[in-house]
């Protein structure tokens, strides 16, 4: 069996941590979920999902019990994992660990996955930053929890993985107003859409800004837009536009050692 090959990034490669933004390629799911669907909350065959998750952790040199991946609720909750959680899924949208071998994993299907590392402190993290979490503070919560494990924001390296990009992310004026009210200065991440009452939102740009606000000086986006590339990525927005009843989820993960 050939293990899936994820997208990686030079910023994280340079600090020597194993990581990957896994795509939908390399899995056993069929039909609507064809590929590497790792979403236990989807309506896919649970056995296929578990096999896909096992392939992800093996690709990072681990075993299923090494995985720490929570039940995501679009919150600002960051969780500390001192060991793998196995089948346990506490509620939260970011996972931080100082323990070598523990794999921090989060799921996305348009939301922004963010992987973090402070190689000096020996701490890594993964965060699920959809618009709610990014606006609500999940990036700051992740950095704050990393700091309790002696991480320094000035040393942290962070990479935003494949997510829905501005050209694919149409929203309404009420959506924009929520950001302008709660995050002054965020207007730069909106441009006019095809109609006067529509906007296009730059989610990866907003997440990078949140990282900057949290003191993270070394950050980048991989540059992949999930919505138009059906062969490589699952997409909530694409599934909705196509009238599909469900969609797969991709895992992004990171570990020390």
């Amino acid at each position: 069996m050939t293990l899936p090959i994820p997208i990686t990034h030079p910023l994280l490669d340079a600090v020597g941590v194993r990581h990957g933004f896994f795509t939908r390629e390399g899995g056993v799911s069929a039909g609507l979920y064809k590929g590497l669907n790792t979403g236990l909350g989807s309506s896919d065959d649970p056995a296929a999902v578990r096999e896909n998750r096992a392939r992800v952790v093996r690709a990072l040199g681990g075993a299923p019990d090494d995985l720490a991946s929570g039940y995501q609720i679009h919150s600002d909750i960051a969780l500390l994992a001192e060991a793998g959680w196995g089948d346990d899924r506490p509620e939260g949208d970011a996972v931080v660990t100082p323990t070598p071998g523990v794999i921090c994993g989060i799921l996305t299907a348009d939301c922004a996955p963010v992987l973090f590392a402070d190689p000096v402190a020996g701490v890594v993290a993964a965060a699920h930053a959809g618009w709610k979490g990014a606006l609500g503070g999940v990036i700051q919560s992740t950095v704050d929890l990393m700091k309790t494990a002696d991480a320094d924001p000035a040393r942290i390296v962070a990479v935003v993985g494949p997510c829905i990009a501005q050209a694919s992310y149409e929203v309404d004026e009420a959506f924009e107003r929520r950001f302008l009210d709660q995050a002054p200065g965020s207007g730069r991440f909106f441009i006019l859409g095809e109609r006067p009452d529509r906007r296009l939102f730059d989610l990866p740009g907003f997440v990078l800004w949140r990282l900057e606000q949290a003191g993270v000086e070394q950050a980048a986006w991989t540059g992949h837009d999930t919505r138009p590339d059906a062969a490589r990525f699952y997409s909530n927005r694409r599934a909705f536009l196509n009238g599909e009843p469900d969609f797969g989820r991709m895992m992004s993960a990171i570990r020390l050692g």
Side-chain angles (χ1 to χ4, degrees), residues 41-225:
S42 72
S43 297
D44 193 5
D45 177 1
V49 174
R50 290 188 181 280
E51 171 60 23
N52 291 335
R53 290 167 73 95
R55 290 187 179 196
V56 166
V57 298
R58 286 201 295 271
L60 293 182
D65 283 347
D66 297 328
L67 180 63
S69 183
Y71 182 85
Q72 296 170 190
I73 54 174
H74 296 276
S75 69
D76 66 346
I77 299 171
L79 304 165
L80 184 67
E82 296 180 332
W85 296 335
D87 289 333
D88 293 335
R89 291 196 299 152
E91 288 189 353
D93 288 272
V95 185
V96 174
T97 189
T99 306
V102 173
I103 298 172
C104 299
I106 53 92
L107 305 182
T108 59
D110 283 341
C111 294
V114 190
L115 301 180
F116 304 73
D118 180 339
V120 176
V123 58
V124 295
H128 160 244
W131 73 262
K132 288 182 182 178
L135 182 60
V138 71
I139 299 299
Q140 187 66 60
S141 295
T142 305
V143 171
D144 287 345
L145 189 55
M146 292 179 74
K147 287 163 65 176
T148 68
D150 297 324
D152 182 343
R155 290 194 306 256
I156 293 174
V157 172
V159 177
V160 181
C163 61
I164 192 167
Q166 188 166 37
S168 297
Y169 201 175
E170 185 180 70
V171 299
D172 59 23
E173 291 177 293
F175 183 100
E176 180 187 31
R177 283 196 299 272
R178 184 182 319 213
F179 275 75
L180 297 179
D181 290 343
Q182 296 183 34
S186 61
R188 74 188 79 173
F189 303 107
F190 293 86
I191 59 174
L192 287 174
E194 292 186 359
R195 299 191 340 230
D197 62 340
R198 295 292 171 175
R199 304 289 185 269
L200 295 174
F201 174 52
D202 182 4
L203 176 62
F206 182 77
V207 173
L208 289 170
W209 185 52
R210 285 305 212 197
L211 286 163
E212 180 184 342
Q213 290 178 318
V216 177
E217 300 173 1
Q218 303 174 77
W221 174 42
T222 63
H224 299 86
D225 185 355

